[in-house]
Amino acid sequence: MAKKGLYENRELSWLRFNERVLEEAEDVRNPLCERLSFISIFQTNLDEFFMVRVGSLHDQMLLENNPKENKTNMTAEAQLEAIRSRVEELTRRKDAAYVDLMKHVAKHGIKLINFAKLDDKGSAYLKKYFEEEILPLLSPNVVTKKQPFPFIKNNEIYCVAVLRTKGNKQHIGLIPCANSLFHRLIEIPGSKGTYMLSEELILHFLPSVFQGYEIVSKSLIRVTRNADIDADKVYDEELNYRDHMAEVIKQRRRLTPVRMEYTRDLDVKVLKLMAAYLSIDKDMLFKTETPLELSFMFDIQDVLRHDESLFFGKRVPQRSAELLESKPLLPQILEGDKLLSYPYESIRPFLNMLNEAANDPNVVSIKMTLYRLAKHSKVVEALVEAAENGKQVDVLVELKARFDEENNIEWSRMLEKAGCHVIYGLDGLKVHSKLCLITMKNGEDIKYITQIGTGNYNEKTARLYTDLCLMTANDKIGAEAARVFHLLSLGEVIKRTESLLVAPKCLQNKVLDKIEREIQISKDGGDAYIGIKINSLTDKKIIDKLIEASEAGVKIEMVVRGICCLHPGIPGKTDNIRIVSIVGRFLEHSRIYIFGKGEREEIFIGSADFMTRNTVRRVEVAAPIYDPAIRERIRHIFRLQMEDNVKARELHSDGNYTYVPHKEPSLDSQEAQYEEAYQAVGTLETKEEPANAAAPAKSAEMAASVKPSDTAAPAKQTDES
């Protein structure tokens, strides 16, 4: 039975996280154009939440046994009702934030207007523009007995109108508004900086489209469809797995609608009719005052990019002070472990390491797991070069990386064509680890260089997400990594490890054992400690063990960016646990586990959050940190985060978050780490990387993501990465 007050529902915790993203849009301390990014990210995050999490809850409602969530015992129906209520609250807040932001944007010469604010000249121009540039490209539909309700594409904007005939019959008219052949932001000639959205223009001229009908009412709508499809359950063995995943992507586009948004008041009967046509719960219809899709915010940013004060100050990833760029990387790693900290340090040394391995005559093989990659991936280029140079290149490409499936399918084809041995993952398990193994042979001597990371091999997100990258020549780590790859190639998972933590068989149980050790230390009167930095905490076994540790007096500090299903600060239960969340300029993405203090302290970095999907349903890898200097560096990173008093919010026993009280000196942990990166190499101002390095990304593209891929503020701030 759930312990009252100790747990938070996963979905409601996620909505609290997205509320923190919205707070960044509201925060006047952030530059205006960065606030535009965050409101767009909030919307993108919410779209993905409905596609994946709400879609999953709808599927659960179809099950006969009516399963309950294992922490708060809420049924799927109860969760959907709570989600609906919270989303309505957040939508009102988003609407207010949008109005405020656009007022500030107008002060910088950019405005969105409607026809009521246009003069005759502007109206005449838009009428002509509509008739010549847009009307010929529209595909209107009128729903009648002979013309069924059309398929509504996922997350695309449509005009909907209630049409009345001369015979007093009413029909529904629909027009898709998305079209790559005309611009979404239409500038009004003679009114520099004045724009109208194309869907608003189409909505205004509906009488020109539906001639012969009276327009009774009209609105813009947007439908979100369930995207939570289990690729393994629908596997067709007549197809190869790559072709199967291509079919899964096609199926996803036609899954059941789970939400409809609309912008104008519509009659209750019309809303019921739309809900019936779409087979959607009427409680999942949401009215909003803002445009239905906010990606045009990035176009506004481009117009304002000349004003640097409207953006975060420029930051460029620096070279690592631990590595000499004038010398080969592989010998330096053989001499001692190296750590890269993104985005403060450049990913370039890791890419150089791969390129060296591709051309080093002593390198016999490169093995790697790939989950999400940049659009123009230098990692793939290095692997292709290695294969063409005769190296054995084994690559596990996870085709089930949600919303990146098409991208990964194309990369897998390119790798196979170059001669790489490509594996497509395991039945029922995603391979989410960030693991690379380079095997070298000089005479009879075999040496391993192993890289273990917390983030994807993606040059773009390495500039936007905070991640750690360990490169080591430790023999024990290399040998275990070799076993992991060997078993993966056989379709199996490793069941026993000594050094690495490897899910699904050797991570959750080992974490529980390490927490238990701290419990016994505390009970024996020792100074017990646990420090955890992750994206999300939902694994109930680990949560319950942390509660037990707190009850035993173990001091527990946690940085949990996103979902957190544990309430700290409950007297006698979790009052030894402190949890903060940092949502800021960069997406906090690194995972750090610290157990104990002094000589018995263990520090790990890895790819796994403490979510059941990571700990028992994925292949994840975490590595121990042995080098004393690197251990101290990771302790320092963790301590900065726990002491952040600018972007950190503290989680309270009631589930609410508040900003950590600000006191001097101010400490923004992300800014502090960038300052340290500059100082470590004697740089006091930004310096561009060489032209062959990863191209700098706009700050507006910082959280996806969302992608939606874990892609952008990052284009997304989700937890799928």
Side-chain angles (χ1 to χ4, degrees):
M1 183 174 177
K3 300 172 185 176
K4 186 177 180 182
L6 289 173
Y7 305 110
E8 176 72 277
N9 173 263
R10 167 187 169 142
E11 317 309 344
L12 298 181
S13 180
W14 187 92
L15 288 172
R16 289 185 189 273
F17 157 67
N18 208 30
E19 182 179 22
R20 298 195 290 281
V21 176
L22 184 57
E23 284 176 356
E24 293 297 310
E26 298 167 330
D27 191 342
V28 296
R29 296 175 299 176
N30 290 327
L32 177 60
C33 283
E34 306 297 349
R35 293 170 64 194
L36 299 181
S37 292
F38 279 109
I39 197 169
S40 180
I41 293 163
F42 168 84
Q43 183 200 56
T44 302
N45 284 352
L46 197 59
D47 291 346
E48 186 172 333
F49 175 74
F50 269 90
M51 286 190 287
V52 178
R53 299 306 308 165
V54 174
S56 175
L57 290 171
H58 273 277
D59 291 344
Q60 288 177 36
M61 287 178 64
L62 302 177
L63 300 176
E64 292 182 7
N65 60 351
N66 194 22
K68 294 183 178 181
E69 178 262 332
N70 71 348
K71 287 172 278 291
T72 58
N73 281 326
M74 294 177 73
T75 63
E77 187 175 12
Q79 292 178 74
L80 286 170
E81 173 55 29
I83 287 167
R84 182 199 61 76
S85 178
R86 279 294 282 142
V87 168
E88 283 190 342
E89 292 175 20
L90 292 172
T91 299
R92 301 286 79 76
R93 191 165 159 186
K94 178 202 69 173
D95 290 348
Y98 174 82
V99 170
D100 180 63
L101 285 169
M102 295 311 292
K103 284 180 181 177
H104 285 87
V105 167
K107 293 176 183 177
H108 293 274
I110 305 292
K111 340 181 247 192
L112 292 185
I113 62 169
N114 56 36
F115 270 85
K117 297 179 181 179
L118 274 175
D119 58 21
D120 291 343
K121 184 178 179 182
S123 296
Y125 169 80
L126 286 177
K127 184 175 186 296
K128 183 179 180 183
Y129 182 89
F130 174 80
E131 291 173 347
E132 295 179 358
E133 302 292 335
I134 294 182
L135 183 59
L137 301 174
L138 297 182
S139 300
N141 296 272
V142 177
V143 182
T144 65
K145 289 182 179 179
K146 294 183 178 180
Q147 181 63 43
F149 192 84
F151 178 77
I152 304 296
K153 293 182 180 179
N154 184 46
N155 284 335
E156 291 194 6
I157 298 171
Y158 288 74
C159 285
V160 62
V162 179
L163 309 174
R164 181 182 290 142
T165 66
K166 292 180 180 178
N168 212 31
K169 291 183 178 180
Q170 288 193 356
H171 302 290
I172 296 291
L174 287 152
I175 304 174
C177 295
N179 195 309
S180 60
L181 297 179
F182 51 78
H183 295 294
R184 183 149 180 238
L185 273 180
I186 302 168
E187 188 168 17
I188 314 299
S191 302
K192 185 174 173 58
T194 303
Y195 299 88
M196 178 174 286
L197 291 170
S198 59
E199 64 263 27
E200 292 288 346
L201 184 61
I202 296 169
L203 191 69
H204 179 80
F205 283 112
L206 283 185
S208 299
V209 181
F210 295 112
Q211 295 183 14
Y213 293 95
E214 177 191 352
I215 309 294
V216 178
S217 60
K218 60 185 179 180
S219 181
L220 296 168
I221 67 166
R222 183 168 172 263
V223 170
T224 303
R225 291 181 175 274
N226 183 358
D228 188 50
I229 186 168
D230 189 325
D232 291 317
K233 283 186 179 179
V234 296
Y235 181 38
D236 181 352
E237 295 192 7
E238 296 301 313
L239 298 172
N240 72 41
Y241 197 69
R242 188 166 59 200
D243 291 341
H244 162 67
M245 286 307 302
E247 289 300 314
V248 166
I249 295 164
K250 291 178 184 177
Q251 287 185 42
R252 176 189 289 156
R253 294 172 184 147
R254 300 191 66 85
L255 291 181
T256 307
V258 292
R259 172 182 64 162
M260 187 186 89
E261 301 166 281
Y262 61 101
T263 62
R264 308 288 200 284
D265 286 328
L266 290 170
D267 187 270
V268 173
K269 291 181 180 179
V270 175
L271 290 174
K272 286 183 178 179
L273 184 61
M274 291 297 295
Y277 278 137
L278 292 164
S279 299
I280 190 172
D281 190 325
K282 60 182 175 57
D283 289 335
M284 287 297 169
L285 307 182
F286 298 93
K287 184 170 183 284
T288 178
E289 304 293 335
T290 63
L292 294 173
E293 201 272 336
L294 296 175
S295 63
F296 67 89
M297 292 294 187
F298 300 131
D299 296 321
I300 291 175
Q301 286 179 329
D302 287 340
V303 176
L304 296 174
R305 201 159 292 279
H306 63 279
D307 188 343
E308 293 183 359
S309 70
L310 301 180
F311 296 86
F312 287 132
K314 188 173 183 179
R315 289 294 200 182
V316 175
Q318 297 295 291
R319 66 177 178 84
S320 169
E322 294 182 10
L323 293 162
L324 297 174
E325 292 187 323
S326 59
K327 294 185 178 181
L329 267 292
L330 295 177
Q332 294 183 64
I333 298 167
L334 290 170
E335 290 173 3
D337 294 356
K338 308 298 179 188
L339 183 79
L340 298 175
S341 178
Y342 311 142
Y344 317 109
E345 294 174 325
S346 171
I347 193 176
R348 191 165 67 249
F350 170 72
L351 299 175
N352 289 345
M353 181 191 76
L354 280 182
N355 286 318
E356 281 182 29
N359 292 282
D360 191 318
N362 291 327
V363 170
V364 295
S365 72
I366 302 174
K367 303 177 191 294
M368 204 166 182
T369 59
L370 299 180
Y371 194 74
R372 298 193 193 279
L373 294 164
K375 188 174 182 180
H376 304 288
S377 175
K378 296 183 183 302
V379 171
V380 170
E381 289 178 9
L383 295 174
V384 166
E385 184 176 6
E388 291 174 346
N389 287 341
K391 316 292 185 190
Q392 175 65 36
V393 180
D394 296 341
V395 188
L396 193 149
V397 181
E398 182 50 80
L399 297 187
K400 292 175 290 192
R402 187 180 283 128
F403 304 121
D404 264 358
E405 297 97 338
E406 289 179 275
N407 194 32
N408 287 2
I409 287 170
E410 290 308 309
W411 286 129
S412 70
R413 289 183 176 132
M414 180 183 292
L415 289 163
E416 277 189 348
K417 188 176 180 181
C420 301
H421 175 220
V422 178
I423 309 167
Y424 297 122
L426 308 179
D427 289 344
L429 294 173
K430 281 188 181 180
V431 180
H432 186 251
S433 57
K434 325 301 180 186
L435 185 64
C436 176
L437 180 68
I438 297 168
T439 304
M440 308 176 72
K441 192 171 189 295
N442 190 355
E444 297 300 316
D445 188 27
I446 291 180
K447 290 292 294 181
Y448 296 116
I449 288 181
T450 313
Q451 181 273 337
I452 303 98
T454 67
N456 297 302
Y457 299 115
N458 186 316
E459 301 92 293
K460 179 180 177 181
T461 58
R463 304 176 69 92
L464 308 172
Y465 295 6
T466 74
D467 273 307
L468 297 170
C469 166
L470 174 69
M471 297 175 287
T472 178
N474 181 278
D475 290 334
K476 290 182 179 179
I477 290 176
E480 281 199 344
R483 285 181 56 213
V484 169
F485 277 112
H486 175 72
L487 289 166
L488 287 176
S489 70
L490 299 176
E492 300 176 14
V493 296
I494 196 166
K495 296 178 181 177
R496 183 175 177 275
T497 61
E498 297 296 330
S499 300
L500 300 175
L501 308 181
V502 185
K505 299 294 185 182
C506 307
L507 192 145
Q508 185 196 64
N509 57 338
K510 287 179 176 285
V511 167
L512 294 173
D513 288 346
K514 293 177 191 305
I515 297 173
E516 176 63 30
R517 184 191 69 181
E518 294 308 300
I519 291 172
Q520 295 307 316
I521 292 290
S522 184
K523 287 181 176 179
D524 292 341
D527 189 10
Y529 176 79
I530 297 169
I532 303 293
K533 180 183 185 299
I534 49 180
N535 298 326
S536 296
L537 173 66
T538 69
D539 186 313
K540 191 169 184 294
K541 285 188 176 181
I542 292 178
I543 289 172
D544 286 345
K545 202 67 177 175
L546 290 170
I547 293 170
E548 184 183 344
S550 175
E551 291 172 334
V554 180
K555 181 181 180 181
I556 302 170
E557 295 182 311
M558 304 183 72
V559 181
V560 185
R561 183 197 82 225
I563 302 168
C564 185
C565 294
L566 171 64
H567 289 168
I570 296 176
K573 295 293 183 181
T574 58
D575 43 353
N576 286 308
I577 301 176
R578 179 172 183 250
I579 301 175
V580 300
S581 169
I582 295 174
V583 178
R585 174 175 182 172
F586 303 109
L587 181 75
E588 287 296 336
H589 194 254
S590 57
R591 289 92 166 185
I592 299 169
Y593 322 143
I594 304 172
F595 303 99
K597 288 185 174 182
E599 292 183 358
R600 60 184 181 79
E601 178 192 56
E602 294 181 284
I603 299 178
F604 295 82
I605 67 165
S607 58
D609 291 312
F610 287 173
M611 306 177 76
T612 306
R613 73 175 191 192
N614 297 90
T615 56
V616 298
R617 294 202 293 270
R618 289 184 175 184
V619 176
E620 307 273 9
V621 177
I625 304 298
Y626 295 133
D627 183 274
I630 296 178
R631 290 166 67 88
E632 178 54 37
R633 192 173 167 200
I634 291 175
R635 280 190 217 103
H636 174 68
I637 291 170
F638 186 78
R639 182 54 43 202
L640 282 175
Q641 301 248 302
M642 291 304 303
E643 294 176 357
D644 189 308
N645 60 20
V646 175
K647 288 300 181 184
R649 285 91 159 169
E650 186 156 0
L651 175 59
H652 301 286
S653 59
D654 61 0
N656 289 317
Y657 289 80
T658 60
Y659 279 103
V660 171
H662 181 267
K663 51 189 172 185
E664 296 298 335
S666 295
L667 177 59
D668 180 327
S669 58
Q670 294 183 350
E671 284 299 310
Q673 289 178 81
Y674 241 126
E675 288 297 330
E676 290 173 355
Y678 283 127
Q679 292 169 11
V681 294
T683 306
L684 296 178
E685 58 185 46
T686 58
K687 289 185 177 179
E688 292 290 354
E689 293 186 86
N692 63 349
K698 300 174 184 176
S699 61
E701 297 170 338
M702 281 172 49
S705 37
V706 128
K707 332 195 228 173
S709 113
D710 204 19
T711 55
K716 89 180 202 177
Q717 291 258 3
T718 60
D719 63 349
E720 175 60 16
S721 54

